[in-house]
Amino acid sequence: MSLTTLEWRDNAIRIIDQTCLPRKLVYLEIRNIKGLSQAIKELKVRGAPALGAASSLGVYLGIKNSPAKNFTQFKNELDKVIAYLGSSRPTARNLFWGLEQARQAALANQDKPVSRIKELILQKALEIIKIDQQSCREIGKYGAELIKDGDTILTVCNAGILATIDYGTALGVIYSAKAQGKKIKVFACETRPLLQGARLTAWELLKNGVDTALICDNTAGFLMRQGRINCVIAGADRIAANGDAANKIGTLGLAILSQYHKIPFYIAAPSTTFDLNIKSGKEIIIEQRSREEVVSLFSRQPIAPEGVKVYNPAFDVTVHELISAIITDKGVLRPPYQENIKRLIQ
Ligand code: MRU
């Protein structure tokens, strides 16, 4: 099934509105940065790589009508747009990478007319889309080598087509293994509180003919104990220089369970998710989200008593000691991560 999560079309960012899935496949056109920031906050567009493409296109949306006459004026506006979009969500490295790429495209061409710099920013954003498409295929290729015919894979959240442009990272590995003719089964953790596993991963895997079963998050340990999981593959929002990886809340628990049960635990992510400026996962800013997400089902039905305290971090950090390998677009990284990341990613 061919599906495009995000594209540049008719002077707008066209996205699949992920809050409508699995009920309806709805596309949304975003024409200004306010709309984009809102869509990012509400997870209409989400997943680290998709956020990288969205943020860079967002910079273009923010500056395309700029009346600036010279580079100094233009840069002033550019920096405001970048700061605004950067405040949408804090954890995904790609969102900031997309912004930095757009800024770099402007700085490297400051001698050119403002109208040309605008075009070059758009060009850079379109390149980012291509880079994502290519790197997901590479991740799929490298990752599929780790998967045997008949394997059953556990995954969490959505690191698939819907988190990238059109293929996925963790799910890209599954699509690639399937395309090689391997028979694969997947257990998808539902991923409370926003159910990206149930709503998005189960939806796209079924659409692509992957044998999929949905589990409540708290079923994972029991499945592993029964010997029914061959490996776990998760995506990442940000990976530190030592290999610590932030991903959807619950990923750390799966990694600890995997180690106990001696099951390989893999992270799949493009090189654009690595943040070599931070030494360890302790420096990763973890987004805190609203209490509403936990105390009610999509703000519709209350499932907790009014007034209860809530702690709702959107992500956790899996320490590198628990990660068997990191599948990247440049190859598969194994411990010792610090030096291997330096060698392969830098
Ligand atoms: O809050 P979300 O839905 O944006 O969280 C997304 C994840 O945790 C993904 O696993 C991660 O961004 C990697 S996507 C290839």
Side-chain angles (χ1 to χ4, degrees), residues 43 46-49 89 157-159 163 169 196 235-237 247-248 315:
L43 273 57
R46 46 150 295 284
R89 288 186 84 187
C157 193
N158 174 267
T169 56
Q196 288 93 329
D237 274 78
N247 191 53
K248 180 54 57 194
F315 303 97

Side-chain angles (χ1 to χ4, degrees), residues 110-121:
Q110 49 185 291
D111 53 323
K112 308 213 165 64
V114 170
S115 59
R116 180 68 189 135
I117 300 176
K118 291 178 184 175
E119 284 169 11
L120 290 168
I121 288 176

Side-chain angles (χ1 to χ4, degrees), residues 165-208:
I165 299 296
D166 62 4
Y167 198 68
T169 56
L171 300 193
V173 172
I174 291 165
Y175 294 137
S176 175
K178 183 171 182 279
Q180 292 176 349
K182 293 173 184 166
K183 281 212 160 54
I184 307 293
K185 282 190 189 153
V186 176
F187 280 101
C189 293
E190 62 176 353
T191 319
R192 273 283 289 152
L194 294 179
L195 303 173
Q196 288 93 329
R199 294 185 303 105
L200 310 176
T201 292
W203 182 82
E204 67 163 84
L205 288 176
L206 286 190
K207 290 267 176 227
N208 283 289

Side-chain angles (χ1 to χ4, degrees), residues 3-21:
L3 199 68
T4 305
T5 301
L6 179 150
E7 64 187 317
W8 180 248
R9 201 199 258 206
D10 300 332
N11 271 314
I13 308 175
R14 186 179 190 253
I15 59 160
I16 293 176
D17 180 348
Q18 301 196 23
T19 57
C20 297
L21 287 171

Side-chain angles (χ1 to χ4, degrees), residues 21 42 50 58 67 71 170 212 235 291 303 313 323 337 341 343:
L21 287 171
E42 291 174 5
F71 187 74
T212 305
R291 68 187 312 277
I303 55 167
I323 302 173
Y337 286 117
I341 288 174
R343 188 178 43 77

Side-chain angles (χ1 to χ4, degrees), residues 280-291:
S280 82
K282 285 191 187 135
E283 292 172 65
I284 299 177
I285 299 171
I286 300 293
E287 178 185 10
Q288 298 292 325
R289 294 190 58 92
S290 83
R291 68 187 312 277

